[in-house]
Amino acid sequence: MPRPILATVHVAALRHNLDRARRAALDARVWAVVKANAYGHGIERVFDAFRAADGFALLDLKEAERVRTLGWRGPILLLEGVFDARDLELCSRLDLWHAVHCDEQIDMLAAHKTQAPQRVFLKMNSGMNRLGFTPERFRSAWTRLNALPQVDEITLMTHFSDADGARGIAHQVEVFERTTQDLPGERSIANSAATLRHAASTRADWVRPGILLYGSAPDFPEHDAEHWQLQPGMTLSTQLIGVQNLKAGDTIGYGSRFTAEGPMRIGVAAVGYADGYPRHCTTGTPVLVNGVRTRMVGRVSMDMITVDLTPVPDAGFGSEVTLWGRASNGTLLSIDDVAQAAGTVGYELMCAVAMRVPATVD
Ligand SMILES: Cc1ncc(COP(=O)(O)O)c(C=O)c1O
């Protein structure tokens, strides 16, 4: 028997979340952002759920090839554009749309020999200072691109730094709109947080939601997944493989980080940091045993964690343990709650599920 750990991808939930994005996006077309192997869910596993999107956005050319291999004939967007001139040949062959965020990418396009002009997304750095042309340089980049026979339509795009937080997006929207007001072409500006929180001020032709599709709230803890009516796209589950009966003063695991105050039962679950469960989780991190909420205690080891069985006295060897997602009895444990206990975000946990964890689709 393999270890009982399992990642289950919930196709119906992903479909629901895409629908949620579509409703929030009003009449905009929706890119399903599936970079990082669909935020750790597996491109092949999410494909059926997201084929109702208007396109797939990602950044790895190998991932773009995988989407085409699945039979997708619609738009695919490379969010970081090409990394090398040879990538443009693949863009031609696979009909990939690509972001253009720097002069070097325009140089590559200018030198590219192609029959069919390519569709590009010209990216503005409207304040995030990661990728994109500054507002001062954006129009000259547009003019240069527009003159190239290698280029077809130019969509104007930007990306927000604070759509999930107090600073908001108004300053970036203002810069983007002022700079692009008399330029033709479609627009794409909103990620998940902007789509859910700022739909009115980010009305555009395309939205680019990622995290919300997978059921994590982009602005947790201000709002949780339930608030946004999102359903978990993945459950990470395992089983108890051992039980210990402790007495007062007994300690658990490496570093003896937890000391029992009185008699208590501890379950040992088959999951550890080598599976992607964060080692930063400390005593108190929520976990479900047989669908009952309890807490992790002590340190996370490579292959095991220990959990307090006090609220689940009937649990024992083989009992179901849900690290995040949905337990068999329907109880939910949000990935955002677990991420918070580890001092990180749901994005990181879902992307970090290790190769050794078998995955299935329901
Ligand atoms: C350019 C771009 N658009 C959209 C997204 C999706 O963001 P989110 O997962 O926060 O919706 C990302 C993710 O980092 C991105 O880099």
Side-chain angles (χ1 to χ4, degrees), residues 115-340:
Q115 306 289 331
Q118 302 192 348
R119 175 114 181 223
V120 298
F121 276 50
L122 181 61
K123 184 160 185 177
M124 184 191 299
N125 167 16
S126 57
M128 179 143 174
N129 291 314
R130 211 171 52 172
L131 294 181
F133 292 92
T134 58
E136 297 71 35
R137 302 231 27 252
F138 190 76
R139 298 182 70 89
S140 62
W142 185 89
T143 305
R144 203 179 153 213
L145 265 186
N146 191 46
L148 293 181
Q150 291 89 343
V151 171
D152 183 16
E153 270 181 62
I154 306 173
T155 299
L156 313 179
M157 88 184 269
T158 196
H159 191 53
F160 297 124
S161 57
D162 291 83
D164 57 333
R167 188 170 184 216
I169 59 167
H171 58 298
Q172 287 187 260
V173 170
E174 193 274 320
V175 167
F176 182 77
E177 283 181 353
R178 179 162 34 84
T179 311
T180 61
Q181 58 185 340
D182 54 349
L183 288 178
E186 295 188 337
R187 269 89 171 138
S188 173
I189 59 178
N191 60 357
S192 293
T195 303
L196 292 174
R197 290 166 66 96
H198 305 286
S201 54
T202 59
R203 273 197 100 117
D205 302 283
W206 293 89
V207 292
R208 307 186 305 270
I211 194 70
L212 86 81
L213 300 180
Y214 305 97
S216 169
D219 56 354
F220 186 84
E222 185 182 340
H223 297 113
D224 62 12
E226 194 184 346
H227 170 88
W228 294 119
Q229 297 149 36
L230 302 174
Q231 299 177 4
M234 178 202 289
T235 294
L236 184 65
S237 63
T238 187
Q239 291 178 5
L240 293 184
I241 57 167
V243 174
Q244 297 293 339
N245 291 292
L246 305 192
K247 54 186 187 317
D250 284 349
T251 61
I252 302 174
Y254 290 121
S256 300
R257 287 301 175 93
F258 179 83
T259 305
E261 288 179 354
M264 68 185 293
R265 287 178 81 233
I266 293 295
V268 181
V271 60
Y273 59 78
D275 300 299
Y277 191 81
R279 188 173 177 277
H280 291 296
C281 285
T282 51
T283 292
T285 301
V287 58
L288 306 177
V289 176
N290 285 345
V292 176
R293 196 172 170 114
T294 180
R295 59 180 179 147
M296 218 231 3
V297 287
R299 261 196 190 154
V300 175
S301 329
M302 183 184 284
D303 311 301
M304 283 172 270
I305 62 168
T306 36
V307 298
D308 182 358
L309 296 183
T310 309
V312 236
D314 54 337
F317 185 91
S319 290
E320 177 192 71
V321 178
T322 308
L323 289 324
W324 60 73
R326 184 185 296 274
S328 299
N329 71 355
T331 305
L332 297 182
L333 173 57
S334 154
I335 195 169
D336 298 322
D337 282 338
V338 182
Q340 189 180 41

Side-chain angles (χ1 to χ4, degrees), residues 37-50:
N37 199 23
Y39 289 45
H41 292 64
I43 286 180
E44 287 74 12
R45 286 187 281 273
V46 304
F47 180 70
D48 246 3
F50 293 163

